[in-house]
Amino acid sequence: MTTTTVSNGIDVRALTETVEAVKDDPSLGAFTFRARSRWQDGTYNTGEIHTFRQDGGEDRSRAAAFTLHGDEPPVLLGANRGPNAVELLLQALAFCYAVGYVANAAARGIEITRMDYEVEGDFDVRPFLGLDGPRPGFTVIRAHGRVSSPNATREQLEELCRYVQETSPVRDSLINPVPVETTLEVV
Amino acid sequence: MTTTTVSNGIDVRALTETVEAVKDDPSLGAFTFRARSRWQDGTYNTGEIHTFRQDGGEDRSRAAAFTLHGDEPPVLLGANRGPNAVELLLQALAFCYAVGYVANAAARGIEITRMDYEVEGDFDVRPFLGLDGPRPGFTVIRAHGRVSSPNATREQLEELCRYVQETSPVRDSLINPVPVETTLEVV
């Protein structure tokens, strides 16, 4: 007799064990994530994402850093060598929602065969250019998901969407204020 | 006689013209940026960033979409096929700060020879796992910049750092609430 523990590509047994481990020792839940950037030319920067801390220890599971490229489109004085920062923020919300949806679906026995997100955000560049206008950031973000499941009702899928919103780290970081401490070193 | 209009790789004449154009017609400042995601397997999603709207029209300057990869590390049930969503959010802040710093330096005649950022954020995974804990998102984000300039004083560089914070689209989207509207389509 075999027990299926993988659902939607998620190891449900490992997920349950993770939840139990963090419940027993809440300090395991504490992470510090990081990203670095290095300016290259004009509006073009490269980025690196590599290690992170969990419960005070460094995670070394990644042999190499992920390299990212950030730039502006020509209309914002760049050369399209990468997406810009606000687009990357929208991408982060899409990925966050998708992971939350698929993982929680697995935990509930809901099989997912498709999960797409389209995220868009309205933004006015005037404050960035030093002109009067609305706030410098997004005035609103809209996320639209498309999900398919062979074994869940519409009501179950909609309830899961509400749950994922409530527990989404990126959504929470957007809808509620996050303190940002910025320091500068002149070298 | 030639006039230098490129500083830090930024075309300062084009920047000035952009500012004047948006000042004359504020509707040119209105952008809608987008990102899409498609679930692949487990915690792995791919993303696409391509067109955006400016003043009601589609920008078609990018021949192809940028492709991004999002995944979790093994400790969060993934296989490190990409950075995770909260790391991408930190990367967005680093890129946003860097573009703001270098572009505004160019406008002020400040030459930049180095501009790095290290951004880190504290985060507790318990709410995501359905456990009691702090907020689901970042409790605090710390950004540390390192800048070198051959022709600016420490005071000028520090003042610019303050200005960039005030006008940063990603910082504003974090320190102040952004409405996020989420819809789901069952297909």
Side-chain angles (χ1 to χ4, degrees):
Chain A
M1 190 181 122
T2 58
T3 308
T4 303
T5 64
V6 176
S7 171
N8 304 330
I10 302 283
D11 186 332
V12 178
R13 186 181 293 169
L15 175 57
T16 306
E17 288 169 359
T18 300
V19 172
E20 289 303 316
V22 176
K23 193 191 284 183
D24 289 348
D25 180 1
S27 67
L28 289 174
F31 287 79
T32 299
F33 288 105
R34 306 185 184 106
R36 293 164 195 268
S37 70
R38 172 152 293 189
W39 173 61
Q40 301 293 338
D41 184 50
T43 58
Y44 177 44
N45 289 272
T46 51
E48 283 203 349
I49 294 172
H50 196 180
T51 61
F52 57 87
R53 272 205 305 276
Q54 183 193 13
D55 190 21
E58 280 302 283
D59 181 279
R60 301 286 185 191
S61 65
R62 294 162 175 166
F66 301 113
T67 301
L68 290 99
H69 301 269
D71 196 6
E72 297 292 339
V75 71
L76 294 171
L77 307 173
N80 274 333
R81 283 159 289 197
N84 74 14
V86 293
E87 291 174 313
L88 215 54
L89 188 155
L90 300 176
Q91 187 74 77
L93 181 62
F95 284 163
C96 190
Y97 271 173
V99 171
Y101 204 98
V102 169
N104 283 291
R108 295 177 183 201
I110 295 176
E111 190 185 338
I112 301 295
T113 49
R114 176 184 173 183
M115 180 81 260
D116 301 339
Y117 279 97
E118 285 183 29
V119 181
E120 60 177 33
D122 295 343
F123 165 78
D124 198 300
V125 80
R126 280 179 289 164
F128 184 78
L129 296 176
L131 301 171
D132 287 341
R135 60 184 291 178
F138 282 114
T139 51
V140 64
I141 292 174
R142 292 173 293 273
H144 183 68
R146 285 192 191 86
V147 65
S148 298
S149 169
N151 73 342
T153 64
R154 173 179 301 272
E155 289 65 36
Q156 286 175 308
L157 295 170
E158 288 172 348
E159 203 288 308
L160 184 52
C161 180
R162 284 189 290 274
Y163 179 80
V164 169
Q165 288 176 67
E166 285 162 21
T167 56
S168 162
V170 173
R171 177 177 179 270
D172 178 63
S173 299
L174 292 168
I175 66 166
N176 295 307
V178 177
V180 175
E181 301 167 359
T182 304
T183 51
L184 184 73
E185 187 181 346
V186 178
V187 290
Chain B
M1 189 182 122
T2 58
T3 310
T4 302
T5 64
V6 176
S7 171
N8 305 329
I10 301 282
D11 186 332
V12 178
R13 186 181 293 170
L15 174 58
T16 306
E17 288 170 358
T18 299
V19 171
E20 290 302 318
V22 176
K23 193 191 284 182
D24 289 348
D25 180 1
S27 67
L28 289 174
F31 286 79
T32 299
F33 289 106
R34 307 184 184 107
R36 294 163 195 267
S37 70
R38 172 154 293 188
W39 173 62
Q40 302 294 338
D41 184 49
T43 58
Y44 177 44
N45 289 271
T46 52
E48 283 204 348
I49 294 172
H50 196 180
T51 62
F52 57 86
R53 272 205 304 278
Q54 182 193 15
D55 190 22
E58 274 312 276
D59 181 279
R60 301 287 186 189
S61 66
R62 294 163 174 166
F66 301 113
T67 301
L68 290 99
H69 301 267
D71 197 6
E72 298 292 339
V75 70
L76 293 172
L77 307 173
N80 274 334
R81 283 158 289 197
N84 74 14
V86 293
E87 291 173 313
L88 215 53
L89 188 156
L90 300 175
Q91 186 74 77
L93 181 62
F95 284 163
C96 190
Y97 271 173
V99 171
Y101 204 98
V102 169
N104 282 292
R108 295 177 182 199
I110 295 175
E111 191 184 339
I112 301 295
T113 48
R114 177 185 172 183
M115 180 79 260
D116 301 339
Y117 279 98
E118 285 183 28
V119 181
E120 61 178 31
D122 295 343
F123 166 78
D124 198 300
V125 80
R126 280 179 288 164
F128 184 79
L129 296 175
L131 301 171
D132 287 341
R135 60 182 293 178
F138 283 114
T139 51
V140 64
I141 292 174
R142 293 173 293 273
H144 183 68
R146 285 192 191 85
V147 66
S148 297
S149 169
N151 73 341
T153 64
R154 173 179 302 272
E155 290 65 34
Q156 286 175 308
L157 295 170
E158 288 172 349
E159 202 289 307
L160 185 51
C161 180
R162 284 189 290 274
Y163 179 79
V164 168
Q165 288 177 67
E166 284 162 20
T167 56
S168 161
V170 172
R171 177 178 179 269
D172 178 64
S173 299
L174 292 168
I175 66 166
N176 295 307
V178 177
V180 176
E181 301 168 358
T182 305
T183 51
L184 184 72
E185 187 182 344
V186 179
V187 290

